[in-house]
Amino acid sequence: MASLYLREDLDDVEVGARLSLTGAEAKHAATVNRTRPGESVLIGNGRGLVASGEVLVATNTELTIDVEAVSRVERPAPAITLVQALAKGDRDELAIQAATELGVDAVVPWSAARSVSRWEGAKVAKGRERWTSIVREAAKQSIRAWTPEVGELATTKQLAALAATARVLVLEPDAEEPLTGIVPDDRGLVLVVGPEGGIAPQELAALRDAGAELVRLGATVLRTSTAGPAALAVLNAALRRW
């Protein structure tokens, strides 16, 4: 399968045009993927537009193709957002990487009460930048027309406010309602995943009081790095994305 490269400033392109990449994307194509003239690649803008064509130039500084086909993919609806609690090690990063590959539409970092990892001060911007990079690379690897958005670091109060406009599903091992019993409607879906120690009782109460639904995945307790992707797979099937 052809590799996908991103050019976020690309607004539109037509068949027959020549399209170029420069900078880090061009260097990655030439030195890491060893792209050569004559091969076919994809260039997208991360917002639904993807052009494909034969490579004319492939150097450390430039990748140019003759555009042979253009696809414009609509944003999936209803959208699925993963709210991932900050976790120690790289578990939160593993979660958003897998979720991106599985088709999540947005991710939001959550500073939960039991999060061992903390983004404070300069770490807030640095952490979000890191997540954005992970999501971007995962979207390219999985050949996605839309790159998921990475939201700002959220508090529990801000998560509760989402229930006013979206259907918030909180993954909780002790919940009575199984996620497989959820019938999606027209509202956007927000999956909330807690940290290693689980979601604190006061947080569960605040979310539930705001209108969020507590759901469970099964009889076992999953790690914070696997719960979100597993739930996303269930919703993909329910929404017939798969």
Side-chain angles (χ1 to χ4, degrees):
M1 180 176 290
S3 298
L4 172 67
Y5 301 98
L6 288 177
R7 180 176 155 178
E8 283 90 348
D9 67 344
L10 181 64
D11 292 324
D12 202 3
V13 67
E14 300 298 331
V15 172
R18 286 192 175 178
L19 182 59
S20 296
L21 286 174
T22 57
E25 285 289 274
K27 185 175 181 179
H28 182 84
T31 61
V32 178
N33 289 349
R34 299 193 177 278
T35 302
R36 297 292 181 262
E39 298 179 7
S40 292
V41 301
L42 306 170
I43 297 178
N45 64 1
R47 302 185 305 280
L49 176 67
V50 179
S52 61
E54 182 178 312
V55 176
L56 299 177
V57 179
T59 69
N60 287 356
T61 58
E62 180 187 351
L63 177 72
T64 298
I65 69 171
D66 259 337
V67 178
E68 298 170 352
V70 178
S71 63
R72 295 173 176 82
V73 181
E74 293 295 324
R75 185 189 290 271
I80 305 176
T81 297
L82 172 64
V83 174
Q84 175 64 51
L86 301 182
K88 64 182 179 181
D90 61 353
R91 290 178 181 173
D92 48 12
E93 295 179 356
L94 289 172
I96 64 169
Q97 180 183 50
T100 298
E101 294 174 7
L102 292 169
V104 77
D105 301 298
V107 295
V108 175
W110 174 32
S111 183
R114 293 177 176 173
S115 288
V116 175
S117 175
R118 291 288 171 185
W119 291 1
E120 297 173 339
K123 286 186 177 181
V124 175
K126 185 177 180 180
R128 189 182 181 193
E129 181 179 342
R130 169 70 177 166
W131 278 32
T132 298
S133 176
I134 291 170
V135 164
R136 188 178 189 275
E137 293 306 310
K140 288 166 54 179
Q141 187 277 329
S142 51
I143 317 295
R144 291 193 54 181
W146 286 87
T147 301
E149 298 175 1
V150 178
E152 295 184 0
L153 181 65
T155 64
T156 302
K157 183 177 181 180
Q158 289 169 327
L159 295 189
L162 294 177
T165 56
R167 191 171 187 184
V168 179
L169 305 174
V170 182
L171 298 185
E172 170 56 39
D174 295 329
E176 295 183 4
E177 180 73 17
L179 180 61
T180 51
I182 295 296
V183 178
D185 50 34
D186 292 335
R187 289 176 292 171
L189 296 168
V190 178
L191 281 170
V192 180
V193 178
E196 302 90 330
I199 301 175
Q202 65 270 25
E203 292 174 319
L204 288 173
L207 293 169
R208 187 172 49 234
D209 290 346
E213 302 170 60
L214 273 54
V215 294
R216 57 179 169 80
L217 277 171
T220 59
V221 178
L222 301 183
R223 290 179 180 270
T224 188
S225 57
T226 55
L232 184 60
V234 172
L235 292 180
N236 278 336
L239 292 168
R240 297 192 178 278
R241 291 189 177 189
W242 288 4

